[in-house]
Amino acid sequence: MDIAECLTLIELLCAREFPAVPGRTEHGESGPGYHMAALRTSEEFWEGDGGEREETEAQYEAERDGLAERLGERWGVPRHFSLYSVFERTMTGEEIAEPWAGLSGHVPDVLLWRAPESDRWVALGISQWDKELPFQLLGIVTETDPP
């Protein structure tokens, strides 16, 4: 998906109603108060010396930053929001609202905006569940304030 397609999808998610129950969608998953879309997904890294993984990670960071630049033209400079403490809090049993609790298990941080026209939070993050698994560039739209 190129930057223009990513922007179109994020606009669609900002306008789309949230479902009453969590479930899969054509772009990822949605639930009460949030939508999450996989904007891009890499290959897996079961073989190799790790060089390809590092290169892919750098590529995904560059793509996130390029998309963030375009979103920044609309909504200003994003806030950098670490999900590390959110993950720690969930591990101690604290109840954290979705999508933040789930994201914190595989996305270390997000770039975050408040979209004034929809009054929703928009975030970009890079997901990787484990070193052998693919990277995903995620677009998240939620009405739930960050914890």
Side-chain angles (χ1 to χ4, degrees):
M1 196 176 293
D2 67 18
I3 285 183
E5 292 171 320
C6 291
L7 292 170
T8 300
L9 180 53
I10 289 169
E11 289 172 0
L12 171 73
L13 297 179
C14 283
R16 184 179 281 179
E17 293 296 320
F18 297 115
V21 295
R24 300 287 306 156
T25 69
E26 70 274 24
H27 303 292
E29 63 183 83
S30 291
Y34 72 93
H35 300 296
M36 192 175 333
L39 305 174
R40 183 139 188 245
T41 302
S42 76
E43 298 295 322
E44 295 180 346
F45 303 98
W46 292 100
E47 297 179 21
D49 61 1
E52 183 180 340
R53 182 188 174 283
E54 290 174 10
E55 186 177 304
T56 302
E57 182 176 21
Q59 176 187 352
Y60 272 64
E61 288 171 354
E63 290 179 13
R64 177 205 55 208
D65 293 347
L67 184 54
E69 187 175 310
R70 295 288 300 275
L71 290 172
E73 293 170 3
R74 297 175 183 189
W75 301 322
V77 176
R79 179 174 146 195
H80 180 263
F81 185 72
S82 173
L83 294 172
Y84 179 77
S85 66
V86 176
F87 179 72
E88 290 290 315
R89 290 164 55 192
T90 62
M91 296 308 291
T92 62
E94 184 177 341
E95 203 58 41
I96 304 285
E98 292 299 339
W100 306 111
L103 280 172
S104 72
H106 59 101
V107 177
D109 54 25
V110 295
L111 299 178
L112 185 64
W113 296 264
R114 183 73 161 191
E117 61 276 357
S118 66
D119 202 32
R120 294 178 175 186
W121 292 99
V122 177
L124 295 176
I126 300 171
S127 167
Q128 189 183 38
W129 287 91
D130 203 355
K131 64 182 182 176
E132 294 87 8
L133 298 177
F135 286 99
Q136 285 189 309
L137 175 58
L138 299 178
I140 303 103
V141 175
T142 183
E143 63 184 5
T144 305
D145 291 337

